[in-house]
Amino acid sequence: PKATPGAPFTIVWLPDTQYYVEEPPVHGGTPAMFNSQTTWAVNNEGAENIVYVGQLGDCVEHGDYPSNPPLGIIEWNRAKTAMYALEPPEIPYGVCAGNHDQSPIGDPNGTTNGYNDAFGVAHFTGRPYYGGHNGSNNDNHYQLFSASGLDFMVFSFEYDQSAAFNAGGGALDWAEALVVANPNKKVIVM
């Protein structure tokens, strides 16, 4: 038998937001642009049936890159303001750690301290859509949501060129085990 389609729903994708929060502003973006995107999602959650918001990485421009003043701290605070707007209504969301979110930029051995301060395990623990994480931080994590009778699992993977990511027992094995254990969930990979 053919499945009965459920109500239409919307997933919002926010790619490469780094130029909205960049300090100093160089590329014409402003924090207000980022804020307006998440505010739009909150204001249209019901009308558009918004069920999930995914930030696809490069949330900030300078990550943990050493600078004076610490540009990454300014940028992470701006990103938190924008993304945390989704929390009063509890719209499920995830944020990927992109290459600009690591320091030095693009270094697979770089740090994601700012990312984890803003969007780490402690911030998401207890939220009904937070599924969990791999390892000791939130660089690789997943969220759960349902829409129109479908159950979804969304993986937020870090930008990682190291061998550990796809080595035995690494983040890819962790995600594969979750997919195998949840065969009825639709999977989205960010």
Side-chain angles (χ1 to χ4, degrees), residues 41 92 100-101 128 165 172:
H100 283 263
D101 304 321
F165 184 76
L172 289 181

Side-chain angles (χ1 to χ4, degrees), residues 9-81:
F9 59 89
T10 302
I11 297 173
V12 175
W13 302 116
L14 302 173
D16 296 289
T17 56
Q18 75 263 32
Y19 294 152
Y20 300 137
V21 299
E22 184 178 27
E23 182 61 36
V26 174
H27 295 94
T30 67
M33 292 172 173
F34 196 175
N35 294 339
S36 70
Q37 291 174 344
T38 54
T39 298
W40 180 88
V42 169
N43 291 341
N44 289 279
E45 179 186 16
E48 300 293 332
N49 194 19
I50 296 172
V51 296
Y52 183 80
V53 175
Q55 196 289 331
L56 301 173
D58 290 346
C59 191
V60 302
E61 176 69 3
H62 293 99
D64 293 343
Y65 201 79
S67 59
N68 188 15
L71 303 179
I73 293 172
I74 295 167
E75 293 174 0
W76 283 116
N77 285 335
R78 291 173 179 169
K80 288 189 318 188
T81 297

Side-chain angles (χ1 to χ4, degrees), residues 42-187:
V42 169
N43 291 341
N44 289 279
E45 179 186 16
E48 300 293 332
N49 194 19
I50 296 172
V51 296
Y52 183 80
V53 175
Q55 196 289 331
L56 301 173
D58 290 346
C59 191
V60 302
E61 176 69 3
H62 293 99
D64 293 343
Y65 201 79
S67 59
N68 188 15
L71 303 179
I73 293 172
I74 295 167
E75 293 174 0
W76 283 116
N77 285 335
R78 291 173 179 169
K80 288 189 318 188
T81 297
M83 294 304 292
Y84 287 10
L86 301 168
E87 294 177 0
E90 285 295 346
I91 298 173
Y93 77 92
V95 178
C96 290
N99 65 312
H100 283 263
D101 304 321
Q102 295 178 324
S103 173
I105 294 172
D107 182 346
N109 298 311
T111 63
T112 53
N113 296 330
Y115 170 83
N116 279 284
D117 286 346
F119 302 108
V121 174
H123 182 75
F124 284 103
T125 295
R127 297 192 184 281
Y129 57 87
Y130 182 67
H133 65 283
N134 174 251
S136 61
N137 59 33
N138 219 35
D139 291 0
N140 299 290
H141 62 281
Y142 72 102
Q143 306 87 47
L144 303 165
F145 70 90
S146 298
S148 297
L150 301 171
D151 296 322
F152 290 86
M153 176 183 294
V154 182
F155 288 98
S156 296
F157 286 124
E158 68 180 309
Y159 172 83
D160 189 339
Q161 296 177 335
S162 72
F165 184 76
N166 60 1
L172 289 181
D173 280 356
W174 162 78
E176 181 181 13
L178 285 166
V179 170
V180 169
N182 293 277
N184 296 324
K185 288 188 176 22
K186 306 295 182 192
V187 176

